[in-house]
Amino acid sequence: MIDATAYPYLARIATPADLRQFPEGELPAIAAELRRYLIASVASSGGHFGAGLGVVELTVALHYLYATPEDRLVWDVGHQCYPHKILTGRAERITSIKKKDGLAPFPKRAESPYDAFGVGHSSTSISAALGMAIAAQHQGDPRRIVAVIGDGALTAGMAYEALNHGGDVEPDLLVILNDNGMSISENVGALTKMLARLMTSKRLNALRERAKRAMPRHSFVWRAVKRWEEHAKGMFVPSTLFEELGFHYTGPIDGHDLPQLLHSLRTVRELKGPQLLHVITTKGKGYPPAERAQIDYHAVGPFDPARGVVARTPGKATYTDVFGDWLCDMAAADVRLLAITPAMREGSGLVRYSKEFPERYFDVGIAEQHAVTLAAGMACEGSKPVVAIYSTFLQRGWDQLVHDVALQNLDVLLAIDRAGVVGPDGPTHAGSFDLAYLRCLPNLLVMAPADERECRAMLTTGFLHAGPAAVRYPRGAGTGIDAGRALEPLPVGKAELRRRGHGLALLAFGALVPVAEALGAELDATVVNMRFVKPLDKTLLAELARDHGAFVTLEDHVVAGGAGSAVAEWMAAHGVGLPLLMLGLPDRFLEHGSREELLAEAGLDLAGVRRSVLARFPQFLPSATALPLAR
């Protein structure tokens, strides 16, 4: 139960319908209480933080004026949805967010009827809301549809595809542009510069609206005023972009001024056709440390609200750290290296590189498709581009990878972070499918490191390789092995025999090599660090097939189309009839939890792999006589 003494308003709000019972004059007090509750909750459990603080007033105003869930409220990305979850019946569970069996970190349709659209990737809100608006009009349903999109999400082309279509079909749709100048780090690009020039234009808006109301619609004078309005707005505020796309533009307004928000929302709520309301907010609003350090407070672990986030004591190097160090070392050694990131400087480990090599660093915004083809263009002119990208985000650039990189056999290196199960961010961020969509492409070299030193060596291998290459590595700390400073490549297509055993051969890819080694020692099995998913070490596979009774493949990836499937295809093509057990992620989306919890759920921890192997091959129990299986 919410403490009614500390939070007298929130204790009385179980749903937005309860919120609507309060007098409008009490909404600022409710917003202040909501902000305090959000700070206390995230401080105790961790989670996305700054973006939610920035939309407290907007969230209150939207749920107060719109009849949610009948009216649809679509949040972009979802980092800012914590206040929305608190006001929609999930306040008491908000500290379970991102934890196993707890609340999802982003809006999720199965979790609440107030979550109109599931989200985790950026720039989908306008498309989804437009689809809802068209369907509602087709069905004669008067429900209202609202999309809330951040200015950072407007760097993605999908947002403009939706704006272009929306202005053409002219649905009753409100798009709220939440302009705070930030994604995870600072926004980049020409659009950001344009929005930064916007000035508060209350007088201009008031003047034009009064003038239009005073004259007959579509009269000669009305049309003249309309033309003057477009020219004037181009002079005073560069809102012409949205107007030319067919959206009636209002703003910018202060997104923390509740009376002004309510007034503007009431106005646009009654207007027909596509509307765009431009709202200026501050990421981290109301918590001074988060306002001062907006990047640091985008997402946080538990912290003391009185002290703020305290720097953690460095532990094991993460794979992201290994990549960041390698990138700087290789850039110093080879001036052809250019690094690209789609708005993930911090997450992908490019902070140091961006400072040491600013003229060779390219943050393209939330534009994964552009990032891949940009790299292709660079490679055409003799540069050696490295695209640092999460596995889940590379899915958005797959068509470009096919046509613009692989088909043309261009020298592009993909450094793929967050491969496999990712953990607290849930299925939207899982890197469960990259091997399947990478290894099917001709010309592409695909690698998965077992430890930090191997990750560095594979990055060097891919960079020096003539043609496209990909290195996929997991989130978080590695095994604790020093990655070193060498820039030496591996022999392409050569696996590493880690242990010579009998009967059973464990063929492990990437992060599951340590599990295979532990089980191999228990069962006196052969253990191979396969290293290369494409090309496979076919020579070693043929040798192992001659003197082993069964193969087991292990991978932090879905079984369908993954590394185990590559081994199965080789066996089928060469008439190798050994029994084969393929272990990997199941054919379903895993929900959020720690990486360790999700691997255990998938049966990919040591206990789970042992259980699966011995259930299929009980003759390989240590106490049994290990006889080769019949072929």
Side-chain angles (χ1 to χ4, degrees):
M1 296 290 291
I2 294 179
D3 183 353
T5 303
Y7 305 103
Y9 287 109
L10 290 184
R12 297 162 56 192
I13 300 174
T15 69
D18 300 323
L19 172 67
R20 296 175 202 125
Q21 301 305 309
F22 286 94
E24 188 172 314
E26 295 186 44
L27 294 185
I30 293 173
E33 193 173 287
L34 176 58
R35 181 170 277 111
R36 284 196 295 109
Y37 187 78
L38 178 63
I39 293 170
S41 299
V42 177
S44 70
S45 62
H48 292 109
F49 190 51
L53 289 173
V55 296
V56 166
E57 288 81 8
L58 179 60
T59 305
V60 170
L62 286 170
H63 280 298
Y64 190 76
L65 291 181
Y66 286 85
T68 56
E70 288 76 20
D71 289 340
R72 307 303 196 215
L73 180 54
V74 181
W75 295 96
D76 209 280
V77 184
H79 294 148
Q80 71 273 47
C81 72
Y82 289 28
H84 161 78
K85 293 201 176 203
I86 291 169
L87 291 179
T88 54
R90 290 167 278 181
E92 294 178 17
R93 298 186 63 212
I94 199 68
T95 55
S96 73
I97 208 161
K98 302 182 81 169
K99 296 181 174 63
K100 197 166 190 310
D101 301 322
L103 293 179
F106 307 110
K108 182 179 178 181
R109 283 172 56 84
E111 184 177 284
S112 171
Y114 293 93
D115 293 356
F117 194 75
V119 65
H121 283 195
S122 171
S123 314
T124 61
S125 61
I126 304 177
S127 293
L130 176 59
M132 294 175 186
I134 291 172
Q137 285 188 331
H138 178 70
Q139 297 162 12
D141 193 319
R143 70 165 57 101
R144 295 179 171 91
I145 314 292
V146 181
V148 182
I149 186 168
D151 52 320
L154 282 184
T155 58
M158 186 175 178
Y160 294 96
E161 294 173 21
L163 287 169
N164 178 62
H165 185 211
D168 182 51
V169 297
E170 298 186 346
D172 293 337
L173 169 67
L174 171 61
V175 174
I176 297 177
L177 172 56
N178 175 30
D179 183 357
N180 63 18
M182 297 290 294
S183 294
I184 294 176
S185 52
E186 300 90 349
N187 287 332
V188 297
L191 176 70
T192 297
K193 295 176 182 177
M194 183 198 83
L195 293 176
R197 293 195 299 267
L198 285 174
M199 56 184 287
T200 301
S201 54
K202 299 179 199 175
R203 292 182 181 176
L204 178 61
N205 281 333
L207 174 62
R208 66 186 175 92
E209 292 303 322
R210 284 199 301 269
K212 285 193 292 185
R213 285 196 299 267
M215 63 190 71
R217 189 171 177 82
H218 300 304
S219 66
F220 170 78
V221 178
W222 186 92
R223 290 194 297 271
V225 169
K226 183 69 175 175
R227 285 195 298 270
W228 170 84
E229 171 192 350
E230 292 171 357
H231 289 298
K233 285 202 295 187
M235 294 169 55
F236 292 103
V237 290
S239 58
T240 311
L241 168 66
F242 302 112
E243 297 275 0
E244 291 294 337
L245 287 171
F247 280 73
H248 179 266
Y249 174 91
T250 301
I253 66 170
D254 183 352
H256 302 297
D257 183 337
L258 256 172
Q260 187 182 25
L261 264 178
L262 292 165
H263 172 75
S264 298
L265 285 171
R266 280 197 176 96
T267 299
V268 297
R269 185 181 61 176
E270 304 308 319
L271 297 176
K272 306 297 288 183
Q275 308 292 321
L276 189 138
L277 176 62
H278 187 177
V279 175
I280 306 294
T281 62
T282 299
K283 191 173 183 179
K285 179 70 173 179
Y287 186 65
E291 292 187 40
R292 291 191 297 267
Q294 294 179 337
I295 296 173
D296 295 340
Y297 283 85
H298 171 75
V300 296
F303 66 96
D304 179 355
R307 298 175 59 204
V309 173
V310 178
R312 297 179 180 177
T313 303
K316 292 181 184 177
T318 66
Y319 282 98
T320 305
D321 295 333
V322 171
F323 166 72
D325 291 340
W326 171 85
L327 188 67
C328 291
D329 293 345
M330 184 57 79
D334 193 328
V335 296
R336 297 175 300 163
L337 188 152
L338 303 176
I340 302 167
T341 178
M344 293 303 297
R345 180 182 65 192
E346 285 74 23
S348 291
L350 279 79
V351 173
R352 177 185 155 205
Y353 178 90
S354 69
K355 295 175 181 177
E356 294 184 10
F357 302 93
E359 73 286 354
R360 294 157 65 185
Y361 166 71
F362 301 90
D363 183 346
V364 301
I366 304 173
E368 296 87 357
Q369 295 170 297
H370 169 57
V372 175
T373 303
L374 176 70
M378 290 174 173
C380 284
E381 299 305 316
S383 292
K384 296 283 285 190
V386 178
V387 180
I389 192 167
Y390 286 12
S391 173
T392 184
F393 299 146
L394 181 57
Q395 292 165 187
R396 292 183 149 201
W398 189 75
D399 183 71
Q400 286 68 31
L401 180 59
V402 175
H403 289 275
D404 303 334
V405 175
L407 179 61
Q408 302 185 88
N409 200 27
L410 293 171
D411 288 357
V412 173
L413 173 60
L414 302 169
I416 306 173
D417 205 334
R418 270 62 166 183
V421 296
V422 172
D425 283 340
T428 59
H429 283 58
S432 307
F433 314 109
D434 49 57
L435 294 182
Y437 68 69
L438 291 173
R439 74 174 192 85
C440 64
L441 298 181
N443 299 328
L444 190 62
L445 184 68
V446 184
M447 296 166 276
D451 56 47
E452 300 91 316
R453 186 172 300 161
E454 197 165 82
C455 183
R456 186 177 173 94
M458 286 181 176
L459 290 165
T460 303
T461 304
F463 182 79
L464 298 178
H465 177 67
V471 180
R472 56 104 68 176
Y473 44 91
R475 178 182 183 178
T479 62
I481 292 176
D482 182 8
R485 299 301 298 272
L487 294 172
E488 296 295 329
L490 298 172
V492 172
K494 292 297 182 181
E496 177 193 29
L497 185 64
R498 289 270 178 118
R499 186 183 193 281
R500 172 69 73 172
H502 302 87
L504 188 67
L506 304 176
L507 313 177
F509 294 84
L512 293 189
V513 169
V515 173
E517 287 190 294
L519 185 61
E522 290 182 17
L523 304 182
D524 190 26
T526 293
V527 177
V528 181
N529 168 22
M530 291 298 292
R531 286 181 168 170
F532 291 85
V533 179
K534 186 175 185 177
L536 291 172
D537 189 339
K538 299 172 184 178
T539 301
L540 181 58
L541 288 176
E543 176 192 326
L544 296 175
R546 287 193 292 269
D547 55 13
H548 286 76
F551 282 170
V552 177
T553 61
L554 300 89
E555 60 188 302
D556 180 11
H557 182 275
V558 293
V559 172
S565 294
V567 173
E569 291 163 11
W570 173 83
M571 293 173 69
H574 292 81
V576 177
L578 288 184
L580 170 66
L581 174 62
M582 294 183 286
L583 298 179
L585 299 176
D587 186 24
R588 60 183 173 84
F589 291 104
L590 296 176
E591 296 300 331
H592 49 282
S594 70
R595 178 173 163 82
E596 294 71 24
E597 288 172 329
L598 296 182
L599 286 172
E601 180 182 333
L604 295 179
D605 61 346
L606 178 57
V609 172
R610 181 193 298 116
R611 185 168 54 249
S612 296
V613 169
L614 294 181
R616 175 73 179 274
F617 305 121
Q619 64 271 42
F620 292 117
L621 277 166
S623 60
T625 301
L627 298 175
L629 295 178
R631 299 192 181 184

